[in-house]
Structures are given as C-alpha cells and as structure tokens.
Amino acid sequence: MQDDIYPTDLHWFPKTSSGKKQALAEIFVLTSTDGKFHLVSKTGRIEKSVEAHRGAVLAGHWNYDGTALITAGEDGQIKIWSKSGMLRSTLAQQGSPVYSVAWAPDSDRVLYTSGKQLIIKPLQPSSKVLQWKAHDGVILKVDWNSVNDLILSGAEDCRFKVWDSYGRLLYVSSSHDYPITSVSWAPDGEVFAVGSFNTLRLCDKTGWSYALEKPNTGSVFAVAWSADGTQLAGACGNGHVIFAHLVEQRWEWKNFQITLIKKRTMQVRNVLNDAVDVLEFRDRVIKASFAHSHLVVTTSLQCYIYSVKNWNTPLIFDLKEGTVSLILQADRHFLLVDGGGVYVFSYEGRLVSSPKFPGMRADILNAQSVSLSNDTLALRDKTDEKVIFLFDVQTGKALGDGKPLTHKLEVVEIALDQSGPASDRKIALVDKNRDLYLTSVRRLGREHSIIKIGTMVQTMAWNDAANLLSGVQDGQFTVWCYPSAVFVDKDLLPKTLTTKDGSEFSSTPHILSYVGTQVTVRRADGSLMHSCVSPYPAILHEYASTARWEDALRLCRFAKASEEEDQTLWACLAGMAMGSRELAMAEVAYAAIGEVDKVQYINSIKELPSKESSLAHMLLFSGHVQEAEATLLQAGLVYQAIQVHINLYNWDRALELAVKHKTHVDTVLAYRQKFLQDFGKKESNKRFLQYSEGVEVDWEKIQAKIEMELGKERERAANASVRSSVASRR
C-alpha cells in the first residue's frame, strides 16, 4: 500500500448471489484513516478510491447480494454506496463515531453502534427505528447472522451479548479481563467466535462456550470465517494472523458416539462393546448428521454415507456446489442444502428430487425452517415467515393444488411427524407467540384446519419412530402421546398428555432429539440432559397402526394393573379407535376414562341401520358437520341430513336443505315451534315466519313421515348387505 494509507477494515465482495457466481468476486473494499474507501483487486491493485468521510472510515461492509456497500466513519455518518462506488444516500448522522455496522439478513435494515447504544435503522425512510442501550461501555463490534437472524455485540465493558432482531437480550457473558475487540458469526449461524486481548473464544449460538484459547497475540481485532464454517482467521495486535480449525464435534445416536478428532478424521465408538472404528476422509469434514442408522458426512467435494452395520465401505458421490450448510435425515431419505438449492437423496446416493419455490434462498435455511419426512418436505419462506411450502419428496412438486400453508402469525419452527402413511402426515409449528399448532399436510380439497395444541412452547421434537411429540411447555416437560386426537375428539387432547417438571432443563432448553424412549435436551449452559419417556404410548401406536386392537386393549389393561399412565393410554386408545372407526374398541376405551355421554353416543351410532348414517355420525362425533351433511346427501338420506342440523339447532341450514330438496319443511317448522315454546319465545326469524304462513304443522303426519324415512333407510341397508353377501359368495 501507499505510505499514506492506514487500513481500518476490509470485506471481500460476496462470493455467491442466489447460487450464481459473481464476476466482481475478485475484489474487496478497504477502508482507511484518510477518510477514503478503496476497491482493491485480489492482485493488490487499487481499482478505485472514493472520498467518503471526514476523519477515518471505521467500517465498510457489502450487503449479502453485493448490490450495496455501507461505510461508517469517525464523523458519525453512515453512507450507502452502489457497488461501483457511487453515493446513494446518507442513512444516519450522529455526534459520536460509528465503530461497527452490519446488514440485516434481507439487506433491508442496518445495525450500527452509537456509543453504548445499538440502533437498527430500516432503509425505508418512514419506517420505525429500533434503539436500545446494549452495554455499559462503548460498543466496538457487532455482527448479524443471516441464517438464525441473531445479533452479536462486544464492548469496552468486557462483555459480549446475543440479541434477537427485536432487541431482546438472549445471552450476556460474564465480565472478561479486557474489552471485547471482535465478534463474528460462523456462516451457518450455529457458532460464533469472540476475540479479546490474548483471547479467542468459540461459543454456541445460545451463548455458552465450547472452547477458550489464550494465544500470545495481543488483542484479536477482527475474526473472519471460511465459507464452509470449518476454520477461522484472526487479525492480531502483534501483527500476526492466527488460524483455527473446528474439531471435537460430537454426534450421538442410540449406542454410537462419533467424534471429529482431526479435520479429516472421525472416530466411531460403540458404547455397548467399546468397539472403535476410525473413518478417514480425503478432504476436510464440513458437515455431518447421524440418525436413522446412517451417518451422512460432507467434505468440501464429496458426500459419504455410512450404515451403522458397516463402517468400512461408505457410499460416496461427488457434490456440485461444495459448501453444504445443512443436512437433515428421515428414515428413507436425507436432505442436503447448499448455496445453490435443496436436494433430497436416498441412502443409496441417488438424487430423488430438488424442490424449489419462487424467491427461495437456500443459503439462509436452517433446521428450524426446514423439515423432512419419508414423503414430505416442508420449507418456511423467508420473505413471508407466515408461509410454509409443502413438497412431495418423490417428485419435488408442491403438494395438492400447489398452494402453500399460511398461518396467521410468523412461524419460528416447523416439524413433520416421522411415521405412518403419507395421507395422514401432520406438521407441528410454533409461531412467534410460542403457541404450538398442528395441521394435516394433505388436506384433500379442504382448507387447512390449524389447531392449537400448546402454549408457551420453547422447543419441540417428534419421535423418530412413532407419532409422539415432545416439548417444553411453560416450564413443564410435556409429551403429546397422540397429538392427532384434536382431529378426532378435541376434549381428549389434555388426557393424552404426560407432563413432568421441567425446571431442571433451565430457562431456554433445546430438544436435540427424541429417539426411542429417550429425549436429549441441551440446557442453556451447554450441558446435555437425557429424559426417559414411557415406552407404552409408542407400543400402542404400533398396535393401532397394524390394527392389533386386542393387543392394544391388553396393553392398556396391563398399564392400569401397574397403575402407570392409566388415563393417558386409555385416552390415546379411544382417539385411535375412533379415528380408525373401531367403535367397539372406542366404546371400551371411553368407558375406562368415564366419558359416559360419548359411550352412549357410540352405542347409538352402532344401532344406525346404514353405513352412510354411521359414517356421518362418526364425522359429527369429531365435529366435522359439513362432511357429515355431504355424506348423507350423497347417499340420498335428505331427512337424516336435515335432522342432524335440527339436533344441532342449526335452524337456518335445516330449513335451507328442506326447501332446496322440497321435503320435510313442516318437520323443521314443527321442531322449531316446539323449541321456541320450550323457551317461551316468539318467532323472529323472517324466513321461518314466511314459510310458517303456508304450512300446517301436524305432529302425527310428521311422525309417520319420519317412520317412513327410517323404514326406507333400513330397507336399503338390508338390500345392500344382501348384495354384498351374494357378491362375496360368487
């Protein structure tokens, strides 16, 4: 550099923009003390110098797609420039120097420092500015991650803090000996690095420390990560550059524990027999995932698939993009996410599909915004966080009519259940109010009915082999043993929960996995806790899915005899039996939990003459009135459809059906009159007044007509059973 250039900050032009390589990727911006910033090529030639600020330019940063550059100066000004170095606007002006700036994930807001304050300012002039006191000393460095949307700050008060994008404090460190001089997120947002005097610290995104190094380097003034997040470099006060590699990452599944012992070597330990295998890789390991009997490892160029039955011969295939940012596994497939897109592979290494939606940004997808099951992939949209796109894994096409699932609030976490048929697939979602909802993925022409099943839910995870959902809800560790009960009988849901005190899990726990009967929880201080769940609900699910109802009944009786989760299992069995239309089993289960009214209703369903009537009343039992009506009308049972609405006091709909089908208008009017007389009221509904003028109500005639309708239904049912027995004999 020329003698008069003293650099203060530099930032390389972003490598990728929505998967495309950029022509400009060979330059970086360099800010200096003479008030200029310089665009410099990688050969060191200064392409352009621009007068930017009075006094030193303290920070310069490209936005995520490289379309704009922001600079901050000693003069308290923040300016936005085009990529060629033309001034677009002065975003802010203040009386104190701005030491650090960061772009929001969508490049629509800017975070900057102002003494002890942090300020988030939108680029839109009329939008609201967010400002809060963040530290007790001058803030020296900030960083904002695009994947997890969290903010880091480090200051002269010798502390670093983690914030969400609304300015809520998530973590504050203990006081260090010296000011925090650098903070930097890893690209995938899972970890971050903190630099101070003779100190380099690696922390989890929730704040607790993985490692602390004490190099003799002076203050670490800046930290930068490699694009794959496996190594970092620090610029030190003594003129040296310090390099570090991430090692000692651990993955666990059932009786296996895997550790990355060197950057290209993994050690597999089977804790049952202490057998140890060593896995060697050609290139450095970037990401790994271990579940469903398979270990999936990606290096900078290849993907390795190991089965737990054979650690010697992995299946290997080459990767297109290289830097994989996320791996998710289901029983039959796994998902890779890189800067270019989302890819679903089988465990034989075959590409199954590559789903896409308009405006998808694969580089900012994380484990909370993506979920995979054997037949379905769910992705939460970043541009509108209320929207969830659902894809068929085999074809990569959007499910159903192609319309996404839309919630009324921003969604923070999604999870698909892992077992059962595709037609019954459910998705659980937690919104920003921390309410937990459940809905069916395949809605078969109906609107998505999104039903709330929990409140104040901090974290959740489905079981890997049965449709049990675990979560921490309002300080209680909760297992929803049969979440689908809400679609069968809402009153059952509270009885299908098992809860225990969750205070041992700390204030912000995170469920890592729910495998078999073991739930693994990461506490706020980084320690792992294991909690055991009863095996009975999972066994009950297995019996119900294979129609082994007698075995299910025996299991519930056995649990009752041992006085374990008596009500819970019976309630689950009641819901499962009702969902599978097993009335006899449902009757026994409802009787066991003391639901007498429901037992009586099930008995009345069993006595109905035709299949259609039975089906309609089962739908009514689950609260699906419209479907019940449609079933009866389709079978030609118009009177029965009208009677359903009379019983529910849906008078307008009952009259509408009677008039439309020109039958039983007098029946509806008679029941309406009786209803009003019982309550001592007068008719005020205009439609009923209009029709009652010309229709005479005669209870004897009405009773005769009803008997005739029921007789017809019995006759049809008898004929249908004769036809089916003749067909079976043939």
Side-chain angles (χ1 to χ4, degrees):
M1 286 294 171
Q2 299 158 14
D3 289 345
D4 57 340
I5 294 181
Y6 296 96
T8 52
D9 193 15
L10 65 82
H11 189 216
W12 280 98
F13 193 84
K15 270 263 187 344
T16 56
S17 170
S18 62
K20 300 186 199 77
K21 286 275 183 281
Q22 295 243 15
L24 267 170
E26 305 293 287
I27 68 160
F28 61 89
V29 63
L30 183 80
T31 64
S32 59
T33 53
D34 57 1
K36 295 179 183 171
F37 69 82
H38 313 274
L39 300 178
V40 188
S41 72
K42 75 170 186 182
T43 57
R45 195 172 93 234
I46 295 179
E47 304 288 337
K48 188 169 188 179
S49 294
V50 179
E51 287 276 356
H53 293 267
R54 294 192 311 280
V57 185
L58 298 177
H61 218 83
W62 298 103
N63 66 357
Y64 288 99
D65 54 6
T67 53
L69 167 72
I70 192 159
T71 60
E74 251 181 335
D75 56 3
Q77 291 193 338
I78 294 170
K79 297 183 178 180
I80 295 176
W81 311 78
S82 71
K83 62 181 175 186
S84 59
M86 304 293 289
L87 180 64
R88 282 191 187 157
S89 64
T90 300
L91 185 69
Q93 198 158 357
Q94 61 182 39
S96 59
V98 180
Y99 287 105
S100 188
V101 288
W103 289 94
D106 294 330
S107 301
D108 58 349
R109 289 163 293 160
V110 169
L111 164 74
Y112 61 92
T113 69
S114 173
K116 301 172 185 179
Q117 309 261 332
L118 283 179
I119 299 170
I120 296 176
K121 183 155 188 183
L123 300 191
Q124 296 301 93
S126 55
S127 302
K128 187 169 167 264
V129 176
L130 186 63
Q131 178 171 351
W132 71 97
K133 186 189 174 196
H135 287 267
D136 294 326
V138 173
I139 301 167
L140 300 176
K141 270 287 195 300
V142 292
D143 197 12
W144 195 341
N145 186 260
S146 62
V147 178
N148 62 29
D149 200 21
L150 298 180
I151 292 168
L152 272 178
S153 61
E156 286 186 348
D157 63 359
C158 307
R159 295 177 193 275
F160 62 88
K161 298 185 182 185
V162 183
W163 313 84
D164 69 9
S165 55
Y166 302 102
R168 290 187 292 235
L169 181 64
L170 303 180
Y171 178 82
V172 54
S173 73
S174 55
S175 185
H176 289 60
D177 296 335
Y178 298 97
I180 304 296
T181 48
S182 56
V183 291
S184 180
W185 281 109
D188 65 1
E190 289 300 312
V191 293
F192 62 87
V194 177
S196 181
F197 180 76
N198 286 358
T199 303
L200 184 63
R201 189 184 279 276
L202 179 72
C203 302
D204 184 76
K205 65 181 174 196
T206 52
W208 55 273
S209 290
Y210 279 109
L212 173 64
E213 298 289 334
K214 286 286 192 180
N216 191 17
T217 54
S219 290
V220 180
F221 285 114
V223 173
W225 288 84
S226 61
D228 58 21
T230 60
Q231 48 188 344
L232 58 93
C236 309
N238 64 355
H240 291 195
V241 176
I242 187 170
F243 293 91
H245 279 272
L246 262 59
V247 289
E248 295 290 330
Q249 285 150 290
R250 280 194 181 83
W251 297 266
E252 287 179 10
W253 183 77
K254 292 196 174 172
N255 52 304
F256 292 97
Q257 187 182 52
I258 295 179
T259 311
L260 183 70
I261 49 176
K262 293 180 194 161
K263 55 189 176 185
R264 290 200 280 268
T265 311
M266 279 181 165
Q267 185 187 69
V268 182
R269 185 184 206 95
N270 182 345
V271 296
L272 290 182
N273 57 12
D274 260 352
V276 173
D277 288 278
V278 175
L279 314 179
E280 297 279 355
F281 301 94
R282 200 181 69 190
D283 307 292
R284 69 171 182 269
V285 173
I286 291 175
K287 280 273 171 207
S289 175
F290 191 21
H292 299 287
S293 304
H294 289 88
L295 170 69
V296 180
V297 180
T298 59
T299 67
S300 44
L301 298 169
Q302 292 173 310
C303 178
Y304 295 72
I305 306 164
Y306 291 88
S307 165
V308 293
K309 293 172 187 155
N310 181 4
W311 295 109
N312 300 323
T313 49
L315 205 143
I316 306 171
F317 63 89
D318 291 338
L319 294 170
K320 280 190 263 179
E321 187 78 15
T323 43
V324 170
S325 58
L326 181 67
I327 307 173
L328 285 184
Q329 287 177 262
D331 189 37
R332 292 186 214 140
H333 317 285
F334 66 94
L335 175 94
L336 296 184
V337 178
D338 63 25
V342 172
Y343 310 96
V344 179
F345 289 91
S346 69
Y347 287 112
E348 290 78 49
R350 181 176 59 85
L351 178 65
V352 178
S353 64
S354 178
K356 284 186 178 66
F357 61 84
M360 179 171 86
R361 275 186 64 188
D363 56 325
I364 57 175
L365 292 173
N366 62 13
Q368 278 71 48
S369 59
V370 189
S371 186
L372 177 71
S373 70
N374 282 334
D375 41 66
T376 311
L377 172 68
L379 296 164
R380 190 204 63 200
D381 191 11
K382 180 64 188 153
T383 48
D384 182 358
E385 294 186 347
K386 297 172 187 167
V387 174
I388 299 162
F389 289 92
L390 300 163
F391 298 95
D392 185 306
V393 160
Q394 293 298 334
T395 61
K397 294 194 168 73
L399 282 182
D401 54 8
K403 281 186 186 163
L405 165 64
T406 306
H407 187 48
K408 58 180 187 283
L409 280 175
E410 287 82 358
V411 175
V412 293
E413 190 174 351
I414 59 174
L416 288 160
D417 63 7
Q418 294 297 309
S419 69
S423 56
D424 208 24
R425 185 70 54 234
K426 305 283 189 294
I427 184 169
L429 52 98
V430 177
D431 65 22
K432 73 172 190 180
N433 284 353
R434 307 309 304 186
D435 290 332
L436 173 63
Y437 290 82
L438 190 72
T439 185
S440 275
V441 166
R442 287 163 170 77
R443 60 187 187 280
L444 306 172
R446 297 199 300 266
E447 274 300 302
H448 280 287
S449 61
I450 304 179
I451 302 176
K452 185 170 168 179
I453 61 169
T455 54
M456 299 293 291
V457 176
Q458 293 164 296
T459 176
M460 59 148 178
W462 286 98
N463 185 274
D464 66 330
N467 289 338
L468 307 165
L469 181 64
S470 65
V472 178
Q473 172 179 237
D474 200 11
Q476 295 271 320
F477 174 67
T478 307
V479 177
W480 287 261
C481 296
Y482 183 56
S484 301
V486 288
F487 301 107
V488 178
D489 177 1
K490 282 184 188 170
D491 304 339
L492 271 183
L493 186 72
K495 293 180 177 170
T496 63
L497 304 186
T498 60
T499 57
K500 65 178 181 185
D501 182 37
S503 55
E504 61 183 3
F505 294 142
S506 78
S507 55
T508 51
H510 174 62
I511 297 178
L512 294 180
S513 65
Y514 180 10
V515 178
T517 59
Q518 184 167 286
V519 179
T520 307
V521 181
R522 174 85 71 187
R523 289 172 29 136
D525 61 1
S527 58
L528 286 178
M529 285 200 67
H530 302 284
S531 188
C532 275
V533 176
S534 162
Y536 296 142
I539 299 169
L540 191 65
H541 272 274
E542 190 187 332
Y543 287 159
S545 64
T546 51
R548 290 159 61 188
W549 296 105
E550 289 302 322
D551 289 345
L553 194 57
R554 274 198 291 277
L555 178 71
C556 291
R557 285 180 176 145
F558 167 75
K560 184 176 182 180
S562 59
E563 291 188 0
E564 284 186 49
E565 311 148 47
D566 176 17
Q567 289 265 313
T568 308
L569 283 182
W570 283 115
C572 291
L573 180 61
M576 290 169 186
M578 221 37 217
S580 303
R581 320 230 190 282
E582 288 285 335
L583 293 181
M585 199 55 62
E587 190 183 345
V588 174
Y590 274 114
I593 54 175
E595 299 266 4
V596 181
D597 53 338
K598 287 174 184 168
V599 174
Q600 283 182 326
Y601 189 50
I602 290 168
N603 268 325
S604 72
I605 294 175
K606 283 159 77 177
E607 286 163 12
L608 290 169
S610 68
K611 275 184 186 171
E612 291 85 0
S613 273
S614 298
L615 176 60
H617 279 271
M618 282 188 234
L619 287 166
L620 275 179
F621 185 95
S622 302
H624 304 307
V625 180
Q626 284 173 317
E627 284 95 328
E629 180 200 287
T631 304
L632 290 167
L633 292 177
Q634 208 171 352
L637 302 172
V638 178
Y639 161 68
Q640 284 82 343
I642 292 169
Q643 189 62 48
V644 160
H645 286 291
I646 291 172
N647 293 346
L648 291 169
Y649 306 119
N650 291 343
W651 298 109
D652 286 330
R653 181 62 183 157
L655 184 62
E656 196 181 315
L657 284 175
V659 171
K660 184 179 173 184
H661 293 277
K662 299 188 175 66
T663 178
H664 287 285
V665 176
D666 55 343
T667 308
V668 178
L669 293 172
Y671 275 105
R672 172 78 173 182
Q673 273 181 20
K674 186 173 180 303
F675 168 74
L676 291 171
Q677 279 166 10
D678 289 348
F679 287 95
K681 295 271 169 86
K682 285 194 171 177
E683 183 60 79
S684 59
N685 187 314
K686 284 181 185 171
R687 291 201 67 191
F688 277 91
L689 287 168
Q690 179 192 337
Y691 283 103
S692 59
E693 280 171 12
V695 177
E696 187 188 343
V697 172
D698 182 341
W699 272 105
E700 282 182 13
K701 275 187 189 173
I702 289 167
Q703 291 295 348
K705 265 166 74 177
I706 290 173
E707 279 303 318
M708 196 169 75
E709 291 282 3
L710 295 174
K712 272 190 210 166
E713 188 186 355
R714 280 192 286 273
E715 195 179 315
R716 280 178 53 184
N719 290 341
S721 70
V722 168
R723 277 199 301 274
S724 68
S725 64
V726 168
S728 65
R729 273 197 222 114
R730 277 181 190 161

